């Protein structure tokens, strides 16, 4: 750990990432009511955003997830959770800071973060590389109505080969989370043709996905992340970052 001329501590990535290329946390999101202690960790801009939400459950999810991110990163950076500041980097596609990828504003760090949540569960990834993470609750889906704009022909054959019901929905959502994780690692979100991304989710182990966006192709290593039963999650890192993530429950 070193201290810059601004007095902000910057942490050496070697000890933290000497055995893994990413840290991943997951946490439960309650239904219907948030914790007041969690609400107290949010900054004024986030609290204003909460006030504008019409859905109580949306407020619960936002408060719980922002508080969880602060608590996880507080342990990494050894600062109070209220000192963690979360912002956004400019969108690589259009330059807007309104919908760019999330970023740590304080403490100052070169590390990247990615976060996602779905019904009942939130996830956070921290890495010295560009990183993307996504999670989905496994639920009943009309896959045949959803797969055309999402899946490649090979993915569609693999998904439709699964029995109808939870198995087919899980197969579809594995493809979805892998694609979303890659797009979040790039920093552009779902602004490209999803059928151009081949996830090879039917094969065991990680897959390498090449994305042609922002003028040049990039290749990403994407793999499933250990998540509680009832959810599926995926993590994307640049090709060459081959070590599995360290997954922790918050």
């Amino acid at each position: 750990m070193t201290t810059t001329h601004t007095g902000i501590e910057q942490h050496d990535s070697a000890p933290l990432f000497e055995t893994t290329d990413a840290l991943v946390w997951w946490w439960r999101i309650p239904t219907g009511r948030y914790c007041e202690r969690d609400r107290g960790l949010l900054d004024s801009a986030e609290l204003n955003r909460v006030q504008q939400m019409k859905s109580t459950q949306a407020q619960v999810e936002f408060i719980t997830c922002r508080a969880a991110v602060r608590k996880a990163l507080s342990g990494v950076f050894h600062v109070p959770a209220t000192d963690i500041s979360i912002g956004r980097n400019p969108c690589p596609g259009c330059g807007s800071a309104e919908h760019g990828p999330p970023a740590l504003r304080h403490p100052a760090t070169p590390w990247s973060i990615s976060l996602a949540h779905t019904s009942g569960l939130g996830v956070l990834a921290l890495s010295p590389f560009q990183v993307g993470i996504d999670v989905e609750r496994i639920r009943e889906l009309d896959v045949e109505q959803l797969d055309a704009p999402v899946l490649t022909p090979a993915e569609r054959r693999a998904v439709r080969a699964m029995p109808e019901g939870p198995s087919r929905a899980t197969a579809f959502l594995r493809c979805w989370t892998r694609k979303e994780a890659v797009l979040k690692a790039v920093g552009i979100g779902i602004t490209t043709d999803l059928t151009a991304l081949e996830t090879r989710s039917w094969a065991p182990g990680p897959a390498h996905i090449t994305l042609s966006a922002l003028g040049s192709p990039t290749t990403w290593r994407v793999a499933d992340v250990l998540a509680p039963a009832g959810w599926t999650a995926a993590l994307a890192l640049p090709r060459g970052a081959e070590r599995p993530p360290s997954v922790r429950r918050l």
Side-chain angles (χ1 to χ4, degrees):
M1 181 176 67
T2 59
T3 303
T4 70
H5 69 279
T6 62
I8 296 175
E9 292 178 346
Q10 294 186 319
H11 294 249
D12 182 5
S13 63
L16 191 62
F17 294 106
E18 62 185 357
T19 60
T20 183
D21 289 323
L23 302 180
V24 172
W25 293 264
W26 62 265
W27 57 87
R28 302 282 189 174
I29 300 175
T31 300
R33 187 173 183 177
Y34 56 79
C35 172
E36 285 293 338
R37 185 176 299 174
D38 284 349
R39 189 179 186 277
L41 298 180
L42 274 60
D43 62 30
S44 58
E46 290 168 329
L47 292 174
N48 288 336
R49 184 173 171 183
V50 169
Q51 292 300 317
Q52 296 172 9
M53 295 177 178
K54 296 181 180 180
S55 163
T56 299
Q57 188 57 33
Q59 293 178 333
V60 171
E61 291 177 0
F62 183 80
I63 290 171
T64 302
C65 289
R66 286 304 177 102
V69 169
R70 284 182 166 84
K71 286 185 278 190
L73 298 180
S74 171
V76 170
F77 293 103
H78 307 292
V79 299
T82 50
D83 285 357
I84 302 291
S85 178
I86 307 164
R88 290 187 179 275
N89 285 327
C91 171
C94 69
S96 171
E98 295 298 321
H99 55 263
L104 288 177
R105 292 288 175 251
H106 187 272
T109 175
W111 300 342
S112 299
I113 63 168
S114 183
L115 53 134
H117 68 85
T118 186
S119 177
L121 198 77
V123 290
L124 166 70
L126 174 71
S127 176
F129 306 99
Q130 285 180 259
V131 62
I133 195 166
D134 193 49
V135 63
E136 288 287 342
R137 180 177 63 85
I138 298 171
R139 57 199 184 274
E140 184 177 341
L141 294 172
D142 188 346
V143 172
E144 287 71 17
Q145 295 295 316
L146 297 171
D147 63 4
V150 175
L151 304 183
T152 67
E155 289 170 340
R156 193 182 306 176
R157 288 192 296 271
V159 168
R160 292 196 179 192
M162 301 298 292
E164 291 187 18
S167 294
R168 187 173 295 181
T170 300
F172 174 83
L173 291 170
R174 285 187 69 219
C175 293
W176 176 271
T177 55
R178 286 184 167 208
K179 293 171 191 263
E180 177 78 355
V182 168
L183 294 172
K184 291 171 75 172
V186 176
I188 59 175
I190 304 177
T191 59
T192 191
D193 179 10
L194 295 178
T195 64
L197 304 181
E198 177 62 81
T199 68
R200 297 188 56 81
S201 61
W202 61 85
H208 290 104
I209 301 177
T210 298
L211 172 65
S212 294
L214 306 179
S216 61
T218 54
T219 301
W220 301 85
R221 180 185 186 272
V222 63
D224 299 331
V225 174
L226 183 65
W231 289 270
T232 184
L235 179 78
L237 291 165
R239 186 172 190 170
E242 302 290 334
R243 296 179 300 178
S246 172
V247 182
R248 309 171 178 186
R249 179 175 182 175
L250 190 62

